[in-house]
Amino acid sequence: MTNEQTDPQQHESAGAWAKKYHMASRLVIESVLRPYDLGPTQWYVLHQLAHAGPTPQRDLVRLLHVERATLTGVVAALVRKGLVEQTPDSTDQRQKVLTMTPVGAALWRKLPDPIALILKTAFDGVPQTDIDTTTRVLRTATGRLTNRLSESKET
């Protein structure tokens, strides 16, 4: 079996740059949230609760694209910190509904928005038409890959 070298062009592909952007964005989010003892997924849970109000925990798995076990740990940390309250669903006691506590709401009001910071830093001065094209291309590519995964699960 030979050890083939990776094609150097792959390191400059749209996919490679999408991954590099994702990794750099995640590092910025982590650095912005670190002083508040929050991680990115914790921030996204708080963001959802701040903007949509009480949310069934099971819905966050789909909304945030995380595994159930990951979300369970994230929610446990937020509850332990007093930022989120977990109560039984009124129609199905086995399910939990998450609500931001007053302490969580107070923290949310003083948190910087890491997404706004990333967008301003990364795209300041970039023509909106370029941003729109990039978004469209990545949305299409992501959809195609997701469809391929769905099709392969069916066979």
Side-chain angles (χ1 to χ4, degrees):
M1 197 163 153
T2 62
N3 182 10
E4 294 183 33
Q5 293 291 330
T6 304
D7 178 1
Q9 291 298 320
Q10 289 179 342
H11 294 293
E12 293 298 319
S13 70
W17 280 107
K19 180 178 180 180
K20 291 173 189 175
Y21 174 82
H22 169 76
M23 299 299 285
S25 295
R26 187 162 182 96
L27 289 172
V28 169
I29 290 171
E30 289 170 357
S31 71
V32 168
L33 297 177
R34 189 173 298 115
Y36 301 92
D37 191 29
L38 290 175
T41 307
Q42 292 175 341
W43 184 86
Y44 279 111
V45 169
L46 294 176
H47 180 274
Q48 170 67 23
L49 299 177
H51 290 89
T55 303
Q57 186 168 328
R58 70 176 172 267
D59 291 358
L60 289 172
V61 170
R62 178 183 45 79
L63 290 168
L64 302 180
H65 304 283
V66 294
E67 297 292 326
R68 187 180 338 179
T70 299
L71 185 62
T72 298
V74 167
V75 169
L78 290 170
V79 169
R80 190 174 53 254
K81 293 174 185 181
L83 304 175
V84 170
E85 182 179 48
Q86 197 179 38
T87 56
D89 187 294
S90 61
T91 58
D92 184 350
Q93 298 291 306
R94 298 169 298 169
Q95 301 298 324
K96 303 295 183 208
V97 175
L98 303 180
T99 306
M100 192 180 297
T101 65
V103 172
L107 175 63
W108 182 257
R109 285 190 295 275
K110 69 180 188 178
L111 280 176
D113 182 346
I115 304 304
L117 174 65
I118 288 167
L119 294 175
K120 180 168 179 17
T121 303
F123 298 112
D124 189 38
V126 176
Q128 188 60 46
T129 55
D130 290 354
I131 295 168
D132 293 345
T133 299
T134 302
T135 301
R136 184 177 47 26
V137 168
L138 290 173
R139 183 183 308 118
T140 300
T142 301
R144 289 175 178 173
L145 293 173
T146 302
N147 288 339
R148 180 183 169 96
L149 288 172
S150 297
E151 291 167 1
S152 68
K153 287 180 183 177
E154 293 172 3
T155 59

